[in-house]
Amino acid sequence: MLNFGKWRITFVVFICFLSVIFVIPNFYGKSEVTALPSFFPKKQFNLGLDLQGGSHLLLEVGVNDVLREKSNDLVDEIRKTLRKEKIKYSQLGSRGVGATVTIKNSEDFSKAKQSLTSELGRNIKVDIEDNSKLDFFFTDEKIEEYKNQAVEQSIEVIRKRVDESGTKEPNIQKQGEKRIVVQLPGIKDPSRVKALIGQTAKLNLHLLDPTTVELANQRGKLPPGTFKAQNVNPVAYEKEFVVKKRVLLTGERLRNATATVDPQSGKYVVAFELDKKGAKKFGKITTENTFQRLAILLDNKVISAPQIREPITGGQGNITGNFTPESANDLAVLLRAGSLPAPIKIIEERSVGPSLGLDSIESGKKALTLGFILVILFMFLRYRIFGLFADIAMIFNLLIIVSVLSLIEGTLTMPGIAGIVLTVGMAVDANV
């Protein structure tokens, strides 16, 4: 029994010693903590938005854009099915949340309806007009599913982008049907993070058409199957490009992207790596289109248009451009985090100033200190020596809480400070 008591005392002393060690780094600033000896822990707890200030953003996901995109995908599925069945059609296009098509030959109408209904599945409703026209609509359940998926995927992508930017302990959560709340504690200049969050970042690879913009303007029309795309760099020599509409490769095949310096030119580039399927497809693209120019588009703007000089079969390459270290890193962050499923709009932005944070901290300190002193005095006056023992246990209880917060790099908020104050009283009650 005596041995068990010694081990228990040793264990308690060891835990109290560790709590003191893990609390010490919090008395240093974020940059000063490195001055501690190497054997000391360096982790500190973080202050929440209400204590250190920061930015509060309310975002809205463009779910209607997602539904339009799904409608265009539905049009492609209908076109593919009708061509496979060799059924002649006309007036195929998207219509609201769905698609419409007219079957030219009446004898093919039943076959077309049956084939399309079977191919598109149960999530599509079909309406018939004049025994020649078919209207397809998504079911209400499918529309709700698309909306929820868009918001949930947006939250994940935003979280990845914010984490990659180095922001500590962001709070990102869904609000309502299509809104997202983002709280960024400690952000002094939120413009860069807002740019990262708000950019859709859809990366596509296209071929450039040999026709120049000047020649297209002289003719008064673009070549079939092309569109104009602006250069993302407004001061570049080539302001616009004539790009072929066919997408050769999308950013979904990216495995990794990093900002680096090209040893030959000394300029910043974004090095990318494709997955196995993407590498195979990219090798085929560069083999079949050697000496043609490949346009790399980000949100329908050309960020680079290099000439394919030789087949690239390793699945790796560089995106060149007029990059600064920060812009190259931001692009790498966007590519690693993936593209948003829909455009994001910032509908509300609030900044919590540092003065409000300092006031909150001071109020919390005063409440904690006053409550702490009053409890210690009451316990000593009421229970004498046993009250003093309870007070010592309460102090170490407080140290253990702060040390655990530091160990997990948790976030302390005003409600958290209130909880600690309450814990002081509860700990005394337990110790008595």
Side-chain angles (χ1 to χ4, degrees):
M1 189 69 182
L2 184 61
N3 290 334
F4 175 77
K6 287 181 178 179
W7 277 108
R8 183 168 59 181
I9 292 171
T10 303
F11 178 74
V12 170
V13 171
F14 179 69
I15 293 297
C16 292
F17 174 75
L18 282 183
S19 67
V20 173
I21 293 296
F22 280 106
V23 165
I24 287 175
N26 293 288
F27 292 97
Y28 293 80
K30 292 290 182 182
S31 58
E32 298 170 351
V33 73
T34 53
L36 288 171
S38 57
F39 60 87
F40 256 80
K42 304 293 191 298
K43 293 183 177 180
Q44 302 171 306
F45 64 80
N46 301 294
L47 297 178
L49 184 68
D50 52 354
L51 294 180
Q52 67 169 322
S55 291
H56 171 100
L57 304 174
L58 181 61
L59 314 176
E60 187 173 88
V61 181
V63 293
N64 292 332
D65 294 83
V66 174
L67 296 177
R68 278 194 291 269
E69 187 175 328
K70 295 297 181 182
S71 297
N72 292 331
D73 292 342
L74 180 61
V75 169
D76 292 336
E77 287 293 324
I78 294 172
R79 181 184 293 109
K80 190 185 300 182
T81 302
L82 293 178
R83 287 179 177 178
K84 180 182 176 182
E85 298 293 334
K86 297 181 179 179
I87 298 174
K88 294 182 179 180
Y89 61 91
S90 64
Q91 299 178 354
L92 173 62
S94 59
R95 178 181 178 181
V97 186
T100 181
V101 64
T102 299
I103 307 302
K104 287 187 175 182
N105 299 325
S106 57
E107 56 268 20
D108 291 334
F109 185 80
S110 298
K111 180 182 177 182
K113 180 178 179 296
Q114 184 178 357
S115 299
L116 290 171
T117 304
S118 175
E119 189 71 27
L120 299 177
R122 294 179 298 176
N123 293 316
I124 304 296
K125 297 183 293 185
V126 184
D127 287 343
I128 300 173
E129 292 185 30
D130 302 328
N131 290 327
S132 63
K133 192 174 183 181
L134 293 171
D135 295 329
F136 298 90
F137 302 96
F138 296 112
T139 60
D140 294 338
E141 293 79 9
K142 195 64 179 176
I143 292 174
E144 197 63 28
E145 180 184 335
Y146 283 145
K147 288 181 178 180
N148 290 333
Q149 284 179 352
V151 176
E152 294 298 331
Q153 188 178 343
S154 297
I155 290 174
E156 290 305 314
V157 172
I158 290 171
R159 191 180 305 279
K160 287 180 183 178
R161 292 181 182 180
V162 172
D163 289 344
E164 290 270 6
S165 70
T167 305
K168 289 286 186 181
E169 298 295 331
N171 180 26
I172 304 170
Q173 59 186 5
K174 182 179 178 181
Q175 184 181 84
E177 292 185 358
K178 56 181 180 180
R179 292 184 175 180
I180 301 171
V181 174
V182 180
Q183 293 183 337
L184 307 171
I187 295 296
K188 306 300 181 185
D189 180 17
S191 58
R192 182 186 171 207
V193 179
K194 284 194 298 180
L196 286 174
I197 290 174
Q199 196 165 347
T200 307
K202 284 196 174 183
L203 186 79
N204 292 324
L205 270 62
H206 302 250
L207 284 177
L208 283 188
D209 193 88
T211 307
T212 62
V213 175
E214 291 77 11
L215 183 58
N217 290 336
Q218 289 175 8
R219 293 177 179 175
K221 63 178 181 179
L222 292 170
T226 65
F227 66 98
K228 279 185 184 180
Q230 291 184 341
N231 196 324
V232 74
N233 181 13
V235 298
Y237 173 72
E238 294 178 286
K239 299 288 191 298
E240 286 184 309
F241 300 88
V242 179
V243 182
K244 293 184 178 180
K245 288 184 178 179
R246 184 188 171 198
V247 179
L248 301 177
L249 193 67
T250 67
E252 295 176 357
R253 291 299 174 192
L254 277 176
R255 178 187 292 173
N256 193 20
T258 54
T260 184
V261 177
D262 185 4
Q264 295 181 352
S265 64
K267 295 181 178 180
Y268 277 89
V269 297
V270 177
F272 65 87
E273 181 183 355
L274 300 168
D275 60 17
K276 189 174 180 180
K277 289 184 178 179
K280 184 177 179 181
K281 194 170 183 180
F282 191 60
K284 184 180 179 182
I285 292 167
T286 53
T287 301
E288 293 177 350
N289 300 284
T290 308
F291 302 117
Q292 294 194 50
R293 293 183 68 184
L294 184 70
I296 303 174
L297 273 70
L298 185 71
D299 292 341
N300 293 323
K301 288 189 176 182
V302 178
I303 57 175
S304 183
Q307 185 185 46
I308 304 171
R309 297 180 181 177
E310 59 183 0
I312 304 173
T313 56
Q316 296 178 337
N318 293 335
I319 300 175
T320 58
N322 191 24
F323 293 124
T324 63
E326 188 176 83
S327 62
N329 184 66
D330 287 349
L331 177 57
V333 168
L334 289 171
L335 298 181
R336 284 198 301 269
S339 63
L340 289 167
I344 293 287
K345 183 171 67 173
I346 299 176
I347 61 175
E348 181 186 343
E349 177 184 355
R350 295 202 308 269
S351 293
V352 181
S355 58
L356 175 59
L358 290 174
D359 289 343
S360 299
I361 292 174
E362 290 304 317
S363 298
K365 283 181 179 178
K366 289 177 182 177
L368 181 60
T369 303
L370 183 60
F372 194 73
I373 292 173
L374 289 176
V375 169
I376 287 177
L377 288 175
F378 175 80
M379 291 298 298
F380 179 72
L381 293 174
R382 178 68 178 82
Y383 297 103
R384 299 297 177 180
I385 188 66
F386 295 106
L388 182 61
F389 291 155
D391 290 336
I392 294 172
M394 178 184 63
I395 291 172
F396 278 102
N397 186 19
L398 187 63
L399 289 175
I400 289 171
I401 292 174
V402 177
S403 66
V404 171
L405 269 175
S406 303
L407 184 62
I408 64 175
E409 295 184 288
T411 300
L412 182 64
T413 61
M414 280 298 293
I417 293 177
I420 291 175
V421 174
L422 178 63
T423 302
V424 169
M426 296 295 292
V428 168
D429 180 66
N431 290 327
V432 169

